[in-house]
Structures are given as C-alpha cells and as structure tokens.
Amino acid sequence: MNKTITSRLMAALMLLVCMAWLTACSDNDDGSPEGGVANEMAGHWYYTDDNVIWSLTFKADGTGTATVNTYAYGGWAAETTTLQYTIADNLVTIKPARGEVFVGVAGIVGNSLSLTDGDVVFMLTRYDGSESKINELKAEYEDNLIDPLPSVSPGNENMSQGELDNIVNLLYRDLGGYEYKQLLLEKIRLTGKDFQGNRANPITPNSNIVYDTWTAAFTVINKANFLVAAIENSDNTGLDEQTLRAYADEARAIRCIVYLNIAQLWGNVPYITTYDKDNNVDATQMQILSPQDLYAELDNTLRNIDMLADREHGVTKETVKAMLGEIALCRGNREEAAQLLSGCQPDFSIVVSEQDSPEIYQALGDRIPNYTPEKTNLLLQEAMLGSNADAHTLAEAWRANGLSWGYWSMLKRIGLAQETAGCEEHELLMPLPQIELEVNAALKQNPGY
C-alpha cells in the first residue's frame, strides 16, 4: 500500500534536510555542502509525529532520500522520494522528485537536529540507518496507541459489564474528539481561521485536519463495531438480554451520529458495520455508499433501536428521534422531518472535561450540544422553511443560540453555505485524505480537488 507523501510531510522533510546542511556547509559559491563538518553530517536521521515516521538519508553531494512510514488501517505503508538541495547563506532550497520546492532555515547541535519554523520546532535524531531501528519505532507507536480495545475477541471470551461500560465511555470520549476535529475543519472552511483566530492553511487532500478528522471518525466507528460484535457473539456475560441490547443499540446510535456527519462532510464514504479483530480490513472490499444510500441505512438502523441504557449524558430515544428528523431533512423529506421533530425534546451533549481535554475545553467550553431542545426547534423551523428570507433568519438563529455542531450542514441544506463561507461550489464537500485514496482504490476524490 503505497501512499503519496503529503505536502505537510514533504515540507517537514525538506526542512529537516536544510537543518543539517545549514550548519555543515561552507560558504562556497555554488551553494553545495563540502568538506569538514559537512562530511560528518552525511548519514541517517529520523523524526516521528503521531502516526508518521520520517527517515532521512543525505549525502555530501547535495542529494538524498526521504522515506515516510505511515500507520493506517492497522498496518504501515512507506513512500520514498529522492531530494536535491542547494545552499545560499542561511537558506536551503530543496527540490524533491515529488512534491513542492521548499526553502527553510535551521540549525544543528551534536546528534540532534532542531528546526524552528515560526512557532513550530522539529527535532531529529541521528541513527544507524538500519531497518531494525525503524521497526522499533513502529512497535513503540503501536504499543502506545491510546486506549486499545480490550484483549478479548468477540465470540471467543466473555465480557463483563465493567468492560462494556469502559468501551462505552471510550466511545463517548472519542466521539467528542471527533466532533472537535470536525468543528475545526468546518470553521476553517467557513472563516479561514482556527479556534484561536489564526489564519489556517487552505483545506486540501493533504491537510492535517482533513486526515485527522477522517481518522477520528473511523476510530469511533471501529469501537462501536467492536462493542456490537462483543455483545452479539459472547455468551454468559451475566447480563440479561434487555441490558445487552441496550448496550448494542447505544453503540449503533453513536455510530449513526458519526456516519450522518461524515456523509454530509465528504459525500461518498465507506460503510463498515462489522468488526475485524485483527484490523485486517480489505480496503478494496469496503462498501462505498452515496449520501442518500447511507441515509437510508442509518434511517433503518435507528428505527430498529428500541433499547437504550439509562445513562447520564448518553443518547436517548429522543436523541434517536431527533436524528431521524435530521436525516429526513438531508433526504429532502421536510414533512416527515416536521412530524418527527415536533414535540421532540432530546438533551444530548458531549461533556468536555477541562482536565482531560483542555484544548477542546478552551475552544468549545464544557459541552458540545449534539441534540438539545434549542437545536431540535431550529431543525423543525428548517423543515417549515418557506422563503429565502426565512433561511437567513434561521442561520442567524443558529448563531444567536451559539450552536456550531450541525451549523455547516444546515447551511448547505438551506443553500447558504457558499454565500456564508465565500467558497466555491466544489468546496461544499471536503476533500478525501490523499493517503486514504492510496490505501482504498474504491474511493474517488471529490471533484475540484
């Protein structure tokens, strides 16, 4: 599974190369590194960042190679490219065989390369160039994956109620993390800025936030599928059938929340409802559904949910009803939406802890309202829209109520997204992450990207 090196990764790699040679080179006329410390800098370096490991080899003749190892779908994929570079004063120009030309400034101390790019600092470490070191870094990353699923395999061992509750708690926590990333992505599309008011990079298939949001979505989906499989295939948990059904329905409802939103963000997406305990999902066999087909699947799933746990801050039957109303709006069935939303009074929000999620808390406060009486009332107003003027009033009401979760999707449904964001028509859908296109041949990039 080869993956294209993204602009972000390539930029970082080019910066890393320049760091080594800025300190090592002499001020020769042609800008190429030569002699002395420059010869000592030739060698191998690595840099890690989340699910990516960069390994860099450079030579004294101004050439080099860069390999990006990326973790996705439970496995690693590598992409290697060659590099050429020149040096002039404190600037290094890097021309990769694939990717954008980059110019950067940096420094080196001992066996550590440090790079400052604005407020961002990259650190590299010298290594012997062996594959064993890279494998060690890969193993370390996998061992430290946040909250791995329980070791029990659905169908092979039994799960206690405590284990089931733990997975549900992880589901809600990860759902909050996903929603934060989606809201950041939508804010960038709407304003061009992040939550701190800083100018954000344009949204492209290689954007960090695009990949991060996509990955966060399928993290929730995977955990939900695990929980459903564990309940359906395990015996003798000590819990009655009604309680087990409530756990499974809760997981299905959370999965529906994510799928409803990624369909509105990206359009055609993979629809996965089974759990592979070995994480060996054959990407080419994934079912890719259009939004309308996915809405139909979600509608059917939600209508078959009849048992939900009495959990504080958890999804309820009213939450499911409100979700069905929003799905009806997405399908253009306003009359059905009005019937579902009339008198619907859900109160489901993702609770945010300042201690556990300081970044989310700072940006969004102590909760992310998913389906509340205020939001449900606005969805009902949408179902009863009769004019363009009403649409503008509705959009203003969302802002007045401080609602952001669902705001971008609402703007698209009522035809005000382009006007509000000042974006092109094709930008109403987000680009699929380039790395996912390389992994899954069934996925097609959205037009315009």
Side-chain angles (χ1 to χ4, degrees):
M1 296 186 298
N2 290 327
K3 295 182 176 68
T4 300
I5 296 179
T6 65
S7 296
R8 171 178 69 95
L9 304 184
M10 184 54 63
L13 287 169
M14 291 185 284
L15 284 169
L16 302 179
V17 175
C18 79
M19 291 166 51
W21 291 114
L22 274 173
T23 302
C25 69
S26 62
D27 294 330
N28 55 319
D29 293 336
D30 62 7
S32 61
E34 61 178 29
V37 179
N39 292 330
E40 297 177 8
M41 299 310 301
H44 310 280
W45 305 82
Y46 71 81
Y47 171 77
T48 63
D49 180 23
D50 293 333
N51 65 318
V52 181
I53 300 171
W54 291 271
S55 58
L56 176 67
T57 298
F58 54 90
K59 304 175 182 179
D61 62 0
T63 64
T65 60
T67 299
V68 178
N69 295 276
T70 307
Y71 186 85
Y73 290 114
W76 292 89
E79 173 77 6
T80 299
T81 188
T82 58
L83 301 170
Q84 292 183 335
Y85 62 93
T86 57
I87 300 174
D89 295 327
N90 289 331
L91 294 179
V92 175
T93 300
I94 306 298
K95 297 181 179 180
R98 294 183 301 279
E100 301 174 359
V101 175
F102 183 85
V103 177
V105 178
I108 182 171
V109 176
N111 287 327
S112 296
L113 298 178
S114 61
L115 170 70
T116 301
D117 178 25
D119 295 329
V120 180
V121 178
F122 296 95
M123 295 295 297
L124 283 87
T125 302
R126 184 196 295 274
Y127 79 112
D128 60 6
S130 66
E131 188 64 24
S132 61
K133 179 58 182 180
I134 300 302
N135 289 336
E136 179 185 327
L137 294 170
K138 290 177 180 178
E140 182 179 347
Y141 171 80
E142 294 179 43
D143 289 342
N144 288 293
L145 286 173
I146 297 176
D147 295 318
L149 293 171
S151 59
V152 292
S153 301
N156 295 335
E157 298 184 36
N158 298 320
M159 298 188 70
S160 68
Q161 183 170 5
E163 288 174 312
L164 295 174
D165 283 330
N166 180 55
I167 300 173
V168 171
N169 290 334
L170 293 178
L171 270 174
Y172 282 112
R173 190 211 61 184
D174 288 351
L175 178 61
Y178 160 68
E179 292 185 2
Y180 168 75
K181 291 178 175 65
Q182 176 177 327
L183 288 171
L184 175 56
L185 179 60
E186 292 174 347
K187 182 173 178 61
I188 293 172
R189 173 64 81 222
L190 281 163
T191 68
K193 298 180 180 180
D194 61 21
F195 286 123
Q196 287 71 47
N198 300 318
R199 178 64 60 182
N201 293 326
I203 295 173
T204 72
N206 294 322
S207 297
N208 294 354
I209 184 59
V210 171
Y211 177 77
D212 290 347
T213 305
W214 179 279
T215 302
F218 282 95
T219 295
V220 179
I221 290 167
N222 188 49
K223 280 192 174 71
N225 290 340
F226 176 91
L227 183 54
V228 172
I231 291 168
E232 291 182 344
N233 300 319
S234 297
D235 297 322
N236 301 320
T237 60
L239 301 176
D240 61 82
E241 185 176 346
Q242 270 194 331
T243 301
L244 290 174
R245 177 61 186 268
Y247 276 105
D249 278 352
E250 190 168 15
R252 292 187 182 98
I254 293 171
R255 186 178 67 198
C256 285
I257 291 174
V258 176
Y259 267 124
L260 173 58
N261 282 276
I262 65 174
Q264 295 174 88
L265 274 181
W266 280 290
N268 298 344
V269 295
Y271 186 53
I272 308 168
T273 58
T274 58
Y275 176 75
D276 187 323
K277 66 183 179 64
D278 296 319
N279 252 348
N280 292 325
V281 178
D282 185 351
T284 63
Q285 300 300 314
M286 289 181 183
Q287 185 182 18
I288 309 297
L289 294 186
S290 69
Q292 290 301 319
D293 288 342
L294 183 50
Y295 297 148
E297 291 285 345
L298 300 180
D299 185 273
N300 182 64
T301 298
L302 292 169
R303 290 183 188 278
N304 283 287
I305 288 179
D306 54 14
M307 297 296 300
L308 286 169
D310 183 14
R311 189 185 310 280
E312 185 179 13
H313 306 305
V315 294
T316 64
K317 290 184 178 180
E318 287 292 278
T319 306
V320 169
K321 189 177 178 182
M323 221 186 312
L324 285 167
E326 185 172 3
I327 290 172
L329 287 173
C330 292
R331 302 175 79 179
N333 301 331
R334 288 189 175 184
E335 184 175 346
E336 178 187 358
Q339 292 174 351
L340 287 164
L341 295 167
S342 181
C344 184
Q345 293 290 303
D347 190 13
F348 172 52
S349 299
I350 298 295
V351 177
V352 178
S353 165
E354 182 176 13
Q355 180 177 357
D356 296 336
S357 306
E359 183 180 11
I360 302 177
Y361 185 90
Q362 181 181 7
L364 304 175
D366 62 358
R367 61 188 58 234
I368 307 173
N370 274 226
Y371 293 97
T372 62
E374 294 80 11
K375 178 178 174 178
T376 305
N377 179 58
L378 291 172
L379 292 173
L380 178 59
Q381 291 181 39
E382 181 182 340
M384 303 172 68
L385 281 179
S387 69
N388 189 50
D390 291 336
H392 283 89
T393 301
L394 176 64
E396 179 56 39
W398 273 74
R399 291 191 293 271
N401 279 273
L403 295 173
S404 54
W405 180 248
Y407 175 66
W408 170 246
S409 298
M410 176 275 302
L411 289 176
K412 291 204 297 180
R413 289 195 300 267
I414 65 176
L416 293 182
Q418 278 186 264
E419 175 185 323
T420 304
C423 64
E424 300 294 332
E425 183 176 0
H426 76 272
E427 292 176 318
L428 294 177
L429 289 177
M430 300 295 175
L432 275 70
Q434 180 63 37
I435 197 171
E436 298 301 324
L437 299 178
E438 297 293 331
V439 171
N440 189 348
L443 283 173
K444 304 299 180 185
Q445 185 59 272
N446 286 323
Y449 292 103

